Amino acid sequence: MLYLTDPENLASVWPDEPAYRADQLRSWLYETPVLTAEEMTNIPGELRDGLELWPFEIETEQVADSGRTIKWLMRAPDGASIEAVLMGYARRTTLCISSQAGCAMACTFCATGQFGFERHLQAGEIVAQVAYASAYLRRHGLGTSPPRVTNLVFMGMGEPLANYSHVRTAIDRFTDTIGMSARSITVSTVGVAPAIRRLADEPWRVSLAVSLHAADDELRTTLVPLNKQYPLEEVISATEYFMDQTGRRPSIEWTLIAGTNDTTEQADKLAAIARRLRAHINVIALNPTPLTADRPPTPAAARAFIDRLTASGANVTLRDTRGQDIDAACGQLRARKLMAGS
Ligand code: SAH
């Protein structure tokens, strides 16, 4: 499970080999990733034999959207589940990764939240999701999309800012070891205000997405339990601090739930917050989960919500929901496995 070894310590894999072996290995793991050790062609067979790369097994691989979306459910040796979803577009290939197995935030509409927390993922387990997708893309491509991970979003399972130190190390590896640009990496948070401030002070400038879902404390507390600890004003002012420190405009994520947060009142309050943050709003219709009666709005209701935002000058996109036929929404593949008792 070489991805659990710090890339700077790879010399420890073959203590008796010359130093360039560690460089070759680092290159195969992080620069031109391969799915199997046999593909590491400049490393002698006897050294390659028995090398274990991945800190997980691929339990399921599901393909949707005419081959443009691939979802993996990965399983760590201790049974922890990790999900990653690869999405191909015309000019970018985005990988959605997990920062924790399960999640402790318990947002009411989220499948991961409904099934609870398993454990934090280590930095190597976070980085290995990207390496696996990169190795897959190098071998198979993804239609006409770029055959490499161009964008990374922490929107799979878990709350990245509740697993700060491991996420921080993972981002160091993405930027330093793999050579990705920080701006192509989006950290999505439900609003851990002190950690947003900490992120603002890091040397790299990643993109920040704040999952708001409600524009006043009364409603937000019913959807996002963490709002009791970090109410809206604290989340907004931490996000302002992030913007001041990094010069990066944040995005606001808004999962639209019929009859709950799709009202004109919420739209108007949201528009005011977006103006204050100069934020782009991403609206996504709810992907229904097994344990609640929440439903997405009708297309007409979603359109009315978007139009109301646009009319007040907000910058807003209705995001397409990829991979619905393979439960690609947050935590849904794991949820289905749990429901089936497997
Ligand atoms: N914990 C982080 C990242 C993981 S969730 C966060 O909250 O941002 C990633 C995104 O998926 C969040 O914006 C979240 O609100 C959204 N999401 C979760 N469950 C969803 C569902 N059932 N339908 C649509 N979006 C959902």
Side-chain angles (χ1 to χ4, degrees):
M1 299 192 287
L2 289 172
Y3 283 101
L4 297 185
T5 303
D6 185 324
E8 304 309 317
N9 284 339
L10 285 169
S12 64
V13 175
W14 300 305
D16 301 331
E17 287 292 305
Y20 68 83
R21 286 282 178 235
D23 294 335
Q24 290 174 327
L25 190 55
R26 190 180 311 110
S27 172
W28 286 119
L29 293 174
Y30 297 99
E31 285 159 30
T32 51
V34 285
L35 290 171
T36 61
E38 289 84 78
E39 295 162 75
M40 299 178 175
T41 44
N42 57 0
I43 295 178
E46 64 271 22
L47 293 179
R48 289 195 315 248
D49 282 350
L51 276 188
E52 259 190 273
L53 272 57
W54 308 107
F56 42 65
E57 281 180 2
I58 303 296
E59 186 165 301
T60 50
E61 174 179 289
Q62 288 180 284
V63 180
D65 302 319
S66 315
R68 293 177 309 150
T69 303
I70 302 177
K71 171 153 186 161
W72 293 289
L73 176 63
M74 299 148 168
R75 187 73 66 186
D78 69 350
S81 45
I82 306 169
E83 291 181 4
V85 183
L86 188 66
M87 292 161 286
Y89 302 89
R91 281 184 200 80
R92 65 199 154 89
T93 300
T94 300
L95 184 70
C96 175
I97 56 173
S98 298
S99 56
Q100 298 176 315
C103 186
M105 296 296 134
C107 299
T108 52
F109 52 86
C110 171
T112 305
Q114 290 160 5
F115 285 91
F117 181 66
E118 285 184 71
R119 67 167 170 83
H120 292 305
L121 296 186
Q122 300 177 51
E125 293 175 306
I126 299 171
V127 174
Q129 296 168 59
V130 181
Y132 188 86
S134 305
Y136 178 96
L137 284 166
R138 274 166 42 80
R139 184 182 289 183
H140 302 286
L142 194 67
T144 54
S145 301
R148 65 203 161 80
V149 176
T150 62
N151 295 74
L152 207 54
V153 295
F154 277 91
M155 291 189 182
M157 283 201 288
E159 168 49 48
L161 297 186
N163 183 16
Y164 197 92
S165 62
H166 291 136
V167 166
R168 179 180 192 278
T169 305
I171 295 174
D172 279 340
R173 289 185 197 165
F174 294 143
T175 53
D176 293 352
T177 316
I178 295 182
M180 296 185 73
S181 80
R183 73 165 50 229
S184 70
I185 302 170
T186 300
V187 172
S188 181
T189 179
V190 74
V192 188
I196 292 175
R197 290 176 184 273
R198 210 177 146 189
L199 192 69
D201 293 331
E202 295 289 355
W204 19 254
R205 294 175 177 185
V206 291
S207 301
L208 178 70
V210 181
S211 297
L212 225 51
H213 311 307
D216 58 50
D217 283 322
E218 194 188 348
L219 178 61
R220 195 163 192 268
T221 298
T222 67
L223 300 174
V224 176
L226 190 73
N227 195 67
K228 294 191 206 89
Q229 200 175 339
Y230 302 117
L232 209 46
E233 185 51 41
E234 277 189 46
V235 175
I236 294 169
S237 67
T239 307
E240 277 179 318
Y241 178 75
F242 180 90
M243 200 171 50
D244 291 343
Q245 291 301 107
T246 64
R248 313 293 315 272
R249 288 186 184 201
S251 70
I252 294 174
E253 306 300 309
W254 192 279
T255 296
L256 208 50
I257 308 167
T260 299
N261 63 359
D262 61 349
T263 60
T264 52
E265 188 199 357
Q266 286 296 316
D268 293 346
K269 289 181 176 173
L270 168 58
I273 295 171
R275 264 196 302 279
R276 190 173 149 195
L277 293 174
R278 286 185 290 143
H280 184 95
I281 305 167
N282 286 314
V283 174
I284 183 163
L286 177 82
N287 241 314
T289 61
L291 295 190
T292 75
D294 288 339
R295 285 292 165 265
T298 61
R303 183 39 53 201
F305 187 80
I306 302 275
D307 288 348
R308 182 89 185 183
L309 288 170
T310 311
S312 45
N315 195 332
V316 50
T317 311
L318 181 61
R319 283 206 337 221
D320 67 341
T321 45
R322 276 294 185 94
Q324 278 195 315
D325 44 335
I326 54 166
D327 297 320
C330 183
Q332 293 199 349
L333 194 58
R334 168 170 168 268
R336 171 166 291 191
K337 288 260 168 193
L338 285 169
M339 300 268 289
S342 57

